[in-house]
Amino acid sequence: MSENTQSRRSFFKGSMAAAVTAAVATTAESQGKAAPSAPAKRPNIILYLADQFRADFVGANGRNGSTHTPNIDAMAARGKNFTHAVTNQPVCAPARSVLMTSRYATETGVWHNGLELDKSLPTLAGELRRSGYTANLIGKWHLALENPKQGGNPGPVKAEDRGGFLDLWEGANALEHTSHPYEGTIWDRDNKPITYKDEYRVDFLTDRAERFLRQKQEKPFFLFISQLEPHQQNDMQRPVAPKGAAARFVNSTAPEDLRALPGTWQDQLPDYYGCIEAIDSSVGRIRRILEEEDLADDTIFVFFSDHGCHFMTRNQEYKRSTHNSSIRVPLIIDGPGFEGTQQIPELVGLIDLAPTLMDAAGIAVPASWKGRSFFPLVNDFKARQNWTNQQLIQISESMTGRAIRTKDWTYCVADLSGDTKQPAAKVYQEYQFYDQRADPHELVNLAGRKEYRAKADELREQLKKLLAAAGEPEPQILPAKLYP
């Protein structure tokens, strides 16, 4: 690297640090009302989503000795690791709708899979584009109408249904239905097919990302790399690792929340580990490209997931529950404003990610967004002391349920009638109640225990307030009468 290049980088870092300090200082007064102080140079933003990736399968999170994630661990060593991030709706499309709009799934139009995003809502891509960014997507979208009988399509997506991603578009609405691990199709912005064969899907999508990142960028860019792995291949009902990879993970560590319960984990964990390894290699490759193109110091790089995976231990599929295995997600952010190793244990949700990125870029957050910027938590102990550690979790499809997650408790209520055709219920019953301090693997359900009645009552009232903030009418919540 030349002395001039080093000088330019040093100047940029100093300017960025000053701008970030100003942005943090004004966040509390500015969110949803006025723009924070803009950085001297708007950072590029990359969101890298690995579908159905459990938080405890990141080596840097220190809970799984068999995980092989050196590149993701290196991200955590360079940047900020939000160790208690959760999804607000643990299923693919609703989680993505929350991410893109900073609204709850019952407000976005996508409260279960297959529905289309409400076009009237401001999105992260649209707001960044209005502020001078290009908005680019590679991979899975899942926010356009999916059912062909209703005019939808799992493959091509009309421009008006792309949520503001109006520059590079190389994606499929439901990638799991248009591709397999070694062959498949995505579509470009003109809905012309781009096919691949005999290359692993993770690597193919990484190839497309490299092609974009090697091009000269005239504007700051927002790039959403949306991988399917380690999500199961739907028509095979299992994750599929690269050829030969699963054999390296036979008899690997089984997380403690799975060991005591029947499910598919005994057979499927080796492939899941192999998929994780492939995602990690892809993350490392993206980082190397950023360095080679002199973009690394100018780019906020976010690694995260939409939900976790419980391998059919909690219900008859892979997620859609309020357990940690479903709702805990990795969230690691590296780049301008997020430099320096730091583990941040405050409870944050996917609903908070879009306002955080806008805040870090010095752009005003739409007043209609419900999430909170967690940018002030970075290196600010006072902000961490004042952070409200509560997240609302909405459940659909497996059941109609609601939960409040705090640092210490998960309190879940459900519509025990079994009706899953409505976004919300008028009457719920206490269903699951876990002490996160004594039982982090959630093996003992405390719902109905008399000695926990006072705490359950307290959490019930807090849950009602969160539901009101999400625009839901106040439900009736019946106490659990039996200890299961």
Side-chain angles (χ1 to χ4, degrees):
M1 185 185 299
S2 69
E3 292 184 5
N4 287 339
T5 300
Q6 290 178 325
S7 177
R8 286 196 301 270
R9 286 191 173 183
S10 298
F11 174 78
F12 172 79
K13 287 181 178 179
S15 300
M16 180 60 70
V20 165
T21 300
V24 170
T26 60
T27 293
E29 295 79 19
S30 66
Q31 182 160 340
K33 297 176 183 178
S37 300
K41 180 180 179 182
R42 286 265 162 83
N44 306 310
I45 298 171
I46 295 178
L47 287 184
Y48 190 112
L49 190 159
D51 199 325
Q52 205 162 286
F53 194 122
R54 287 174 56 120
D56 57 348
F57 275 64
V58 171
N61 288 337
R63 295 190 294 274
N64 188 331
S66 294
T67 286
H68 184 223
T69 57
N71 295 294
I72 298 171
D73 297 346
M75 274 189 71
R78 289 190 304 268
K80 309 306 178 185
N81 184 4
F82 295 85
T83 58
H84 288 73
V86 299
T87 183
N88 301 95
Q89 228 286 17
V91 65
C92 297
R96 291 157 193 265
S97 76
V98 172
L99 165 71
M100 288 297 164
T101 67
S102 191
R103 300 286 291 268
Y104 291 99
T106 46
E107 302 175 296
T108 67
V110 189
W111 57 275
H112 68 73
N113 277 340
L115 302 178
E116 60 182 330
L117 188 66
D118 182 344
K119 296 182 183 64
S120 71
L121 298 177
T123 65
L124 176 59
E127 292 301 300
L128 288 173
R129 205 165 185 271
R130 285 179 56 211
S131 299
Y133 282 73
T134 63
N136 313 278
L137 177 141
I138 296 171
K140 175 177 172 177
W141 176 232
H142 219 176
L143 290 177
L145 195 64
E146 186 178 334
N147 188 342
K149 293 181 180 179
Q150 298 175 330
N153 195 320
V157 177
K158 298 175 184 177
E160 61 267 27
D161 294 329
R162 295 175 187 168
F165 286 98
L166 298 178
D167 296 290
L168 178 77
W169 176 275
E170 294 185 347
N173 189 31
L175 190 61
E176 55 267 55
H177 298 311
T178 72
S179 68
H180 286 88
Y182 281 94
E183 58 84 22
T185 303
I186 59 176
W187 286 262
D188 68 14
R189 61 178 291 169
D190 299 317
N191 277 333
K192 295 178 181 178
I194 304 170
T195 61
Y196 69 99
K197 190 174 183 180
D198 300 326
E199 183 180 20
Y200 193 58
R201 181 166 44 205
V202 171
D203 299 330
F204 164 69
L205 294 178
T206 309
D207 289 346
R208 306 308 297 185
E210 176 170 4
R211 183 172 176 268
F212 170 80
L213 292 170
R214 297 290 189 193
Q215 297 171 357
K216 182 175 176 58
Q217 306 295 331
E218 300 294 339
K219 298 179 179 181
F221 62 81
F222 170 40
L223 174 62
F224 183 26
I225 304 171
S226 183
Q227 298 275 10
L228 183 62
E229 272 67 28
H231 190 286
Q232 76 274 10
Q233 179 64 45
N234 285 39
D235 56 359
M236 300 171 71
Q237 277 301 300
R238 61 178 303 113
V240 181
K243 294 173 183 177
R248 294 197 295 274
F249 294 101
V250 172
N251 296 324
S252 293
T253 300
E256 290 187 42
D257 64 286
L258 302 181
R259 293 178 199 172
L261 301 171
T264 62
W265 59 270
Q266 297 93 334
D267 173 57
Q268 295 185 8
L269 272 179
D271 274 284
Y272 190 82
Y273 274 108
C275 292
I276 296 291
E277 184 180 54
I279 290 291
D280 181 78
S281 295
S282 171
V283 168
R285 185 174 159 196
I286 295 297
R287 173 68 187 190
R288 287 193 297 274
I289 295 164
L290 292 176
E291 291 174 345
E292 290 167 5
E293 295 298 320
D294 203 23
L295 295 169
D297 290 343
D298 303 355
T299 302
I300 296 173
F301 190 0
V302 183
F303 176 78
F304 72 112
S305 185
D306 50 351
H307 53 77
C309 184
H310 62 66
F311 294 94
M312 297 189 181
T313 55
R314 304 295 185 163
N315 54 39
Q316 294 184 5
E317 48 94 83
Y318 290 89
K319 55 261 185 183
R320 297 177 176 92
S321 82
T322 55
H323 299 89
N324 288 327
S325 49
S326 288
I327 68 171
R328 289 282 297 277
V329 294
L331 178 58
I332 300 170
I333 309 180
D334 179 26
F338 297 92
E339 302 97 340
T341 306
Q342 185 182 10
Q343 287 196 346
I344 299 176
E346 277 64 42
L347 198 65
V348 301
L350 287 191
I351 198 168
D352 303 320
L353 184 52
T356 300
L357 294 174
M358 296 277 282
D359 199 5
I363 302 171
V365 174
S368 63
W369 286 8
K370 296 286 181 73
R372 302 169 291 169
S373 170
F374 53 77
F375 192 43
L377 297 179
V378 175
N379 297 317
D380 187 337
F381 182 71
K382 184 176 181 180
R384 292 173 60 181
Q385 285 183 310
N386 296 328
W387 187 256
T388 302
N389 284 289
Q390 294 182 349
Q391 290 289 333
L392 170 64
I393 314 297
Q394 298 178 324
I395 302 291
S396 64
E397 300 187 33
S398 64
M399 64 179 184
T400 302
R402 299 292 184 266
I404 179 174
R405 179 68 157 83
T406 72
K407 271 194 166 183
D408 295 337
W409 304 96
T410 298
Y411 172 83
C412 172
V413 300
D415 177 4
L416 298 185
S417 73
D419 182 8
T420 59
K421 296 182 180 180
Q422 299 296 326
K426 295 180 180 179
V427 179
Y428 295 102
Q429 186 156 357
E430 292 176 338
Y431 183 56
Q432 291 162 333
F433 187 19
Y434 296 105
D435 183 342
Q436 296 296 334
R437 301 159 300 177
D439 182 25
H441 307 298
E442 300 166 319
L443 298 176
V444 180
N445 184 3
L446 301 175
R449 289 290 293 259
K450 291 181 180 179
E451 58 267 42
Y452 291 91
R453 184 68 262 160
K455 177 55 69 173
D457 289 344
E458 176 187 329
L459 291 168
R460 179 190 62 211
E461 295 310 307
Q462 292 174 8
L463 175 60
K464 286 183 177 181
K465 290 179 181 178
L466 291 178
L467 291 174
E472 294 194 37
E474 182 174 323
Q476 182 182 6
I477 298 177
L478 304 175
K481 296 182 179 179
L482 297 174
Y483 176 59

